Amino acid sequence: MKPLTDYLDLSQQFPLTRQQLRETDRSTAALVLSSAIVAFLVMSPMLWLVFRATEVDPARAYSLIVSSQTGWITLNSIVLMAIVMLCSILLGVPLAVLTTRTDLPYPRFWTIVAALPLVIPSYIGAIAFVGMFGSGGEIDSVLGTTIPAIDGLSGSIFIITLYTYPYVFLTTRAALLSMDSSIVDAARTLNAGPFEAFKRVTFPQIRPGIAAGALLAGLYAISDFGTPAFMGANVFTSRIYWETTGFGREYAALLALQLIAIVAVVLVIEAGIGRDEDATSSGDGEGSTIRLGNWKWPAMGFVSLLGTLTLVIPVAIFTRWLFRSEGDRIPAYEFQLEFAFNSVYLALLAALVACLFALPVAYYSGRVNSLTSRILERATYVGFAVPGVVIGLALVFLGNRMLPSLYRQGVWLLVFAYVVRFLPQAVGTIRSSVLQVDEKTIEAARTLNAGRLETFRRVTLPLIMPGVVAGSVLVFLTTMKELPVTLMLRPIGMETLVSLIWNAQDSLAYRYAAVPALLLILISGLSMLILLRQEGGKLS
Amino acid sequence: MQQRSSDQMSRVGRRTYLAAAGGAVAGLAGLAGCLGDGGDSTPIAEVDPMTQGVNSGTLSWDDLGDLEGEISIYSGRTPDQISGVFEALEQEYDDLTVSVDWDDNDTQVNQILEEETHPADLMYSQDPGALNALHEDGSLQELPADVLDAVPNSYQHNDGYWTGVTGRTRSIQYNSDRLDETDFDSWDELPTDITEYATDERFEDIISTRPNSGTFRGFIQAMVERKGEEETREWVRQMADDQNTHLFEGGSDQAEAINRGGDDDPIIGLGNSYYAARILNEDSDAPIRTTFTENDAGCLFSVAGVGVLDQVGDAELVAEFVRHLLAEEGQELMMEDNGEYPVVEDIEYVGPLPDLDEINPPEFDLSGFDMDLQEAGDLIEDEGMFS
């Protein structure tokens, strides 16, 4: 691990003409500036937290911070985050290897199965699980017995892991696909066993990818409100919610700041692990296929089992809701195609804007390893770790005052809120692919007298396109299922798939939640196909 | 009380701070050149009724003026509860558009508190505590005199800043199929005194509630007012520690669990009666039932109501809209859709629940119900009732 201050100034490593150097300085300055602007914009809602938190009476603030209550929620939140990260790696990495490096039959199908849980909001998963396995649930009424209760902290860890491990799966998979596997073959010809080759050759190369995915899973876990609330786990988000229900927004802000403090520590630690200069390579990801032999049966069984748990059960429950006995008709919950269009439209805009915002930050931090680049990159992660309701309130305050003409009119403030929440998903994946772009390719283009921008457009951008697409898809998927910010900042009267699911579910009118929930999974599943398609020939 | 005085002091500090910060931010916004688009600043209390006021006997929609234009509403209630009325009004008046923002009640209140200018005309809330919080913040304006006259004083704000539109009660929910698992042979053996639910050992491990709801906090406030703080604290402590009360985050989840009737699910629940009514509405064979305590906070009658935000699009339209909610059709639609009680005196209750006379809710003046919800929240949390 290199210290953060270990500058790696690329311009000194390669002989460039004087003219090129001047141009480099200018474009680097522009890159730093645009990264800084992005970081400032997405961090700006946090100013509200500081502003509100300072309103808490200092004595009360002190007692709140040092109370045993706070100690417990801190501990619980850290445990939740750490175990979700660990379990996500344990599930995600083997699945990524299985679908890219082995001769598993129907790899595309299994890839979709393994990635799709990400599209299901974890609280919907929680409801489905309790409906299926909980006491009084489907299994209970058929078999008269229940599996151990899924609730509390352990229940939250279980559910959140099932619906967030795809972060690790997708980022690790991307890293595996773009790494140069000829070195693995080289290692194998030097008589290293498959495990040894993985540990010594593959793992160091995909480590940034794993770390990026695990970080997303962990930050999602710590910011998730719905699942711990449903499971009755005592963590930061449920406590923040408790304070907001008493209209104690300033207490909620104080708690959110404490949450950010924990997250900051995690971000710094991860910055060390995720950094890896060895990861620069641009391979075709082919060759070195591990032959599974008879192991393909247990392998397929494992993915099937996981898919049954995460996908079949919720879909079965939703489908059952569809046919639930009819009560009074509630016209307000009638599904309209317009809701699906709204969801897709918002998610597309969010994905587009997030990529535009992410490009300078990811490119800068991927190419230049300086303290500034690391800080700017990490800054974009904070919004992802803060519960949506807190970001929502912050943007209500700021948007209503600073941009009243955008507030709840048109979708731009809402799209910005999505970007604040989900930017790191794009930054993380794009940065991983920037890291893997071979420096020499770019320098070659430069010596052929291509300008900075032209080089970026014609050489770098095509190389990092897999990361850009992966990032967009992630932002798209998470925007589709986002709830609190959507409810708070959408134009009044605009409904989306999740707002309908939420309302119907909240009123126990489950049959109305079924169609939008199934449609949400379908649309997101299709977007996953796009992700796979652009991997194209890499999957044979 | 030490706690209260320090809270009040910090509130003064907060106001000053907010004013200063608001000024600074307003300056910035002015600089950006896009400060709000105005709206109608005429106080709605000063706008004459289009035809006649709602206080003059029971009026039907035909007696009132035509609604024309667009009205936007922040709703803390769910669409199944009130959208029927809005849709009926839109059908009645071709030129009326009702735009509703549906969200969680407390989130709506927090959002309005964070706003400087409000994009909506009305807040339709589940409970008086939320509306009081908005008034204290200065976000609401006084309602017209005839509207206030139509509703009993105890169901509206003292100075007329909000009014109840419909009422509902706290109740005891139970699973009728599972009573044989308890030491109670029949539902009429369930106590009619809310205290016993905390002290009677027969409720241990089988009882549930939802401490984060506005109505639960309102219920706690009511108990404090009737029985004193000490006794209330003891009640909460006993519920949390002795009875091992099953705590839920959502009223629907709670009612659903009672109805589901699994081995680990509670058999009894303290909650609003309409959650049970909704399940029965979806499935009339469902085992969930309700009963009521007698004349104590356990069957507190509370209102859902509206407050008009301080700046509205069209003052005349907004005032007339509120009149329509209180007119006969408005009241009856909400009884039918949601099993709620009317608040306008001459309108008869026709829903599925027992009539208010049969329930005996406590005499309680909601207007004098100065609920500091945060304080109630602190009390609940202090005594360990926190999931």
Side-chain angles (χ1 to χ4, degrees):
Chain A
M1 194 197 305
K2 289 196 176 184
L4 290 175
T5 45
D6 187 3
Y7 285 68
L8 181 73
D9 193 343
L10 294 166
S11 63
Q12 286 167 7
Q13 291 191 344
F14 301 93
L16 294 173
T17 65
R18 189 179 291 261
Q19 194 261 330
Q20 278 177 325
L21 266 179
R22 264 205 308 276
E23 203 188 319
T24 304
D25 284 346
R26 266 208 312 276
S27 57
T28 306
L31 195 59
V32 177
L33 186 67
S34 45
S35 301
I37 291 172
V38 167
F40 171 78
L41 280 177
V42 298
M43 283 292 283
S44 62
M46 313 311 155
L47 292 173
W48 175 83
L49 289 180
V50 178
F51 167 67
R52 278 279 170 263
T54 50
E55 289 172 8
V56 181
D57 177 53
R60 169 91 182 157
Y62 178 76
S63 70
L64 208 68
I65 291 169
V66 301
S67 73
S68 64
Q69 243 318 334
T70 308
W72 275 113
I73 59 175
T74 306
L75 187 67
N76 285 349
S77 296
I78 291 174
V79 167
L80 175 72
M81 179 168 56
I83 301 186
V84 166
M85 285 171 97
L86 183 71
C87 295
S88 295
I89 293 173
L90 291 179
L91 277 177
V93 175
L95 282 169
V97 172
L98 210 53
T99 55
T100 58
R101 287 273 181 246
T102 70
D103 60 350
L104 187 76
Y106 316 112
R108 269 169 199 265
F109 174 74
W110 297 119
T111 303
I112 296 181
V113 169
L116 213 49
L118 196 62
V119 314
I120 297 175
S122 52
Y123 68 93
I124 294 279
I127 291 169
F129 256 80
V130 171
M132 180 62 91
F133 294 112
S135 96
E138 307 285 328
I139 301 287
D140 189 5
S141 51
V142 174
L143 302 177
T145 173
T146 61
I147 59 173
I150 307 170
D151 62 6
L153 189 63
S154 57
S156 305
I157 291 171
F158 178 68
I159 294 289
I160 295 178
T161 301
L162 283 186
Y163 291 98
T164 54
Y165 82 83
Y167 279 122
V168 180
F169 170 70
L170 287 171
T171 53
T172 308
R173 190 184 145 76
L176 280 168
L177 282 174
S178 52
M179 73 172 266
D180 188 349
S181 51
S182 55
I183 343 173
V184 182
D185 295 336
R188 293 298 303 278
T189 53
L190 292 173
N191 265 343
F195 183 73
E196 181 75 6
F198 181 82
K199 199 182 80 178
R200 305 229 346 231
V201 181
T202 310
F203 180 70
Q205 296 220 42
I206 61 173
R207 205 174 63 191
I210 298 174
L215 183 64
L216 290 176
L219 295 184
Y220 179 93
I222 208 170
S223 72
D224 185 22
F225 155 68
T227 312
F230 187 78
M231 296 280 167
N234 195 5
V235 292
F236 263 107
T237 49
S238 46
R239 179 66 181 262
I240 286 171
Y241 178 67
W242 171 268
E243 292 296 351
T244 59
T245 56
F247 314 128
R249 287 157 298 140
E250 62 278 15
Y251 296 131
L254 186 68
L255 288 165
L257 282 181
Q258 286 179 262
L259 176 65
I260 291 177
I262 296 174
V263 167
V265 175
V266 176
L267 286 174
V268 169
I269 294 173
E270 199 275 345
I273 301 170
R275 171 109 305 243
D276 199 336
E277 287 88 33
D278 298 339
T280 56
S281 60
S282 58
D284 50 13
E286 283 184 28
S288 80
T289 301
I290 301 167
R291 306 226 167 271
L292 285 176
N294 279 332
W295 281 100
K296 73 181 174 199
W297 299 111
M300 283 195 286
F302 170 64
V303 194
S304 306
L305 179 69
L306 196 63
T308 307
L309 281 179
T310 53
L311 301 169
V312 177
I313 287 174
V315 168
I317 295 269
F318 296 147
T319 312
R320 222 183 90 84
W321 286 354
L322 202 56
F323 299 109
R324 255 167 108 118
S325 62
E326 290 282 316
D328 286 346
R329 220 172 56 83
I330 308 171
Y333 295 148
E334 251 12 301
F335 174 75
Q336 294 173 30
L337 210 53
E338 187 196 339
F339 302 163
F341 282 124
N342 288 342
S343 285
V344 172
Y345 174 62
L346 288 172
L348 280 177
L349 283 180
L352 186 74
V353 178
C355 276
L356 288 178
F357 274 44
L359 269 172
V361 181
Y363 188 72
Y364 177 44
S365 83
R367 294 297 303 278
V368 180
N369 182 24
S370 71
L371 188 60
T372 319
S373 76
R374 299 303 281 162
I375 289 175
L376 291 180
E377 189 231 347
R378 296 284 117 170
T380 62
Y381 276 74
V382 172
F384 191 60
V386 179
V389 63
V390 174
I391 298 287
L393 283 176
L395 285 176
V396 165
F397 179 85
L398 294 169
N400 185 255
R401 284 166 178 75
M402 314 283 279
L403 300 161
S405 56
L406 291 186
Y407 181 72
R408 307 218 74 167
Q409 302 166 51
V411 295
W412 290 108
L413 191 65
L414 175 58
V415 168
F416 176 66
Y418 291 138
V419 172
V420 171
R421 289 275 288 130
F422 302 138
L423 186 60
Q425 302 184 136
V427 170
T429 51
I430 298 175
R431 182 176 170 275
S432 300
S433 28
V434 170
L435 277 177
Q436 288 177 325
V437 171
D438 197 334
E439 206 60 60
K440 294 188 203 86
T441 324
I442 294 171
E443 292 312 327
R446 299 280 290 129
T447 48
L448 291 171
N449 259 342
R452 274 256 152 186
L453 231 84
E454 201 191 350
T455 310
F456 179 77
R457 193 173 58 80
R458 293 183 56 187
V459 179
T460 317
L461 196 58
L463 285 174
I464 63 172
M465 214 48 201
V468 176
V469 175
S472 324
V473 173
L474 281 181
V475 175
F476 179 87
L477 295 177
T478 35
T479 304
M480 285 285 289
K481 65 176 180 174
E482 204 282 341
L483 185 62
V485 163
T486 311
L487 290 180
M488 291 170 88
L489 294 170
R490 72 199 152 147
I492 292 175
M494 184 184 200
E495 299 294 334
T496 66
L497 291 177
V498 273
S499 71
L500 184 59
I501 297 172
W502 177 79
N503 267 321
Q505 185 267 121
D506 194 42
S507 315
L508 303 172
Y510 292 114
R511 63 181 188 279
Y512 291 103
V515 171
L518 292 170
L519 206 57
L520 178 71
I521 297 176
L522 182 72
I523 296 173
S524 305
L526 290 177
S527 69
M528 208 70 93
L529 281 178
I530 297 173
L531 181 73
L532 289 180
R533 201 181 184 85
Q534 61 99 29
E535 288 173 353
K538 291 186 172 164
L539 251 172
S540 46
Chain B
M1 268 167 37
Q2 195 68 37
Q3 182 72 48
R4 172 170 284 187
S5 66
S6 87
D7 272 2
Q8 274 167 350
M9 268 168 59
S10 76
R11 190 161 294 140
V12 173
R14 177 198 313 169
R15 281 270 154 75
T16 329
Y17 188 49
L18 271 178
V25 178
L28 271 176
L31 214 63
C34 47
L35 198 61
D37 51 358
D40 194 339
S41 56
T42 320
I44 71 157
E46 287 171 21
V47 180
D48 289 331
M50 287 180 174
T51 54
Q52 50 186 315
V54 273
N55 58 338
S56 46
T58 310
L59 293 187
S60 94
W61 284 353
D62 290 341
D63 302 322
L64 296 169
D66 289 352
L67 301 181
E68 213 179 287
E70 182 170 355
I71 187 162
S72 56
I73 298 169
Y74 274 167
S75 173
R77 314 200 71 198
T78 50
D80 60 321
Q81 296 175 311
I82 52 173
S83 67
V85 184
F86 298 160
E87 272 162 36
L89 280 170
E90 278 182 324
Q91 273 181 4
E92 177 93 6
Y93 301 106
D94 291 340
D95 298 323
L96 176 73
T97 311
V98 185
S99 309
V100 193
D101 174 57
W102 309 102
D103 202 344
D104 176 73
N105 192 57
D106 298 319
T107 310
Q108 295 285 34
V109 173
N110 282 316
Q111 175 151 3
I112 296 171
L113 295 179
E114 287 300 338
E115 287 172 351
E116 190 180 49
T117 52
H118 311 295
D121 301 309
L122 280 179
M123 167 67 185
Y124 201 137
S125 173
Q126 308 220 343
D127 76 306
L131 291 163
N132 274 336
L134 291 182
H135 165 61
E136 276 175 36
D137 182 65
S139 299
L140 300 181
Q141 57 172 302
E142 257 183 279
L143 297 168
D146 66 298
V147 166
L148 296 169
D149 288 349
V151 178
N153 284 337
S154 57
Y155 301 159
Q156 61 183 236
H157 184 257
N158 267 334
D159 299 321
Y161 281 86
W162 54 261
T163 180
V165 173
T166 51
R168 68 287 201 38
T169 51
R170 298 279 305 172
S171 71
I172 311 296
Q173 306 164 353
Y174 63 94
N175 184 316
S176 57
D177 291 347
R178 297 185 69 200
L179 276 182
D180 55 5
E181 296 171 33
T182 68
D183 295 328
F184 300 95
D185 293 327
S186 135
W187 67 271
D188 53 17
E189 287 178 19
L190 292 172
T192 52
D193 178 351
I194 194 68
T195 318
E196 290 181 39
Y197 288 87
T199 52
D200 192 329
E201 285 175 5
R202 292 178 293 179
F203 289 110
E204 198 178 328
D205 296 328
I206 63 164
I207 196 164
S208 66
T209 194
R210 176 196 169 202
N212 68 9
S213 77
T215 42
F216 186 82
R217 292 182 191 198
F219 152 74
I220 290 299
Q221 285 288 336
M223 199 188 269
V224 168
E225 223 155 293
R226 288 175 75 89
K227 302 204 166 185
E229 191 182 327
E230 272 322 297
E231 209 169 313
T232 306
R233 279 187 181 276
E234 181 63 9
W235 186 88
V236 174
R237 196 199 56 71
Q238 285 169 330
M239 285 295 284
D241 296 346
D242 303 349
Q243 305 293 52
N244 188 25
T245 299
H246 200 115
L247 303 180
F248 287 87
E249 292 277 340
S252 304
D253 296 345
Q254 182 191 359
E256 189 82 322
I258 291 170
N259 187 52
R260 190 169 55 220
D263 293 340
D264 300 331
D265 289 323
I267 301 173
I268 310 278
L270 312 183
N272 294 334
S273 60
Y274 61 79
Y275 288 112
R278 283 186 198 167
I279 293 179
L280 288 166
N281 185 25
E282 292 280 305
D283 174 10
S284 53
D285 296 330
I288 192 167
R289 293 286 180 277
T290 55
T291 183
F292 300 87
T293 58
E294 293 273 343
N295 197 22
D296 64 23
C299 63
L300 178 71
F301 178 84
S302 185
V303 293
V306 293
V308 174
L309 293 165
D310 55 6
Q311 206 170 42
V312 298
D314 176 349
E316 200 175 26
L317 170 66
V318 172
E320 205 66 10
F321 183 84
V322 174
R323 291 188 181 98
H324 278 75
L325 296 179
L326 295 172
E328 200 167 3
E329 291 95 328
Q331 295 285 296
E332 282 177 354
L333 274 167
M334 283 179 275
M335 285 187 245
E336 284 164 25
D337 286 354
N338 204 32
E340 289 186 285
Y341 296 101
V343 293
V344 177
E345 260 168 12
D346 297 328
I347 294 174
E348 288 292 316
Y349 177 69
V350 292
L353 293 175
D355 204 85
L356 272 191
D357 306 340
E358 299 165 44
I359 299 177
N360 290 323
E363 289 287 326
F364 225 98
D365 187 0
L366 295 171
S367 63
F369 209 23
D370 184 18
M371 288 197 285
D372 186 334
L373 287 176
Q374 204 151 306
E375 207 174 300
D378 289 346
L379 185 155
I380 298 163
E381 206 178 333
D382 287 348
E383 302 307 320
M385 191 185 274
F386 179 79
S387 57

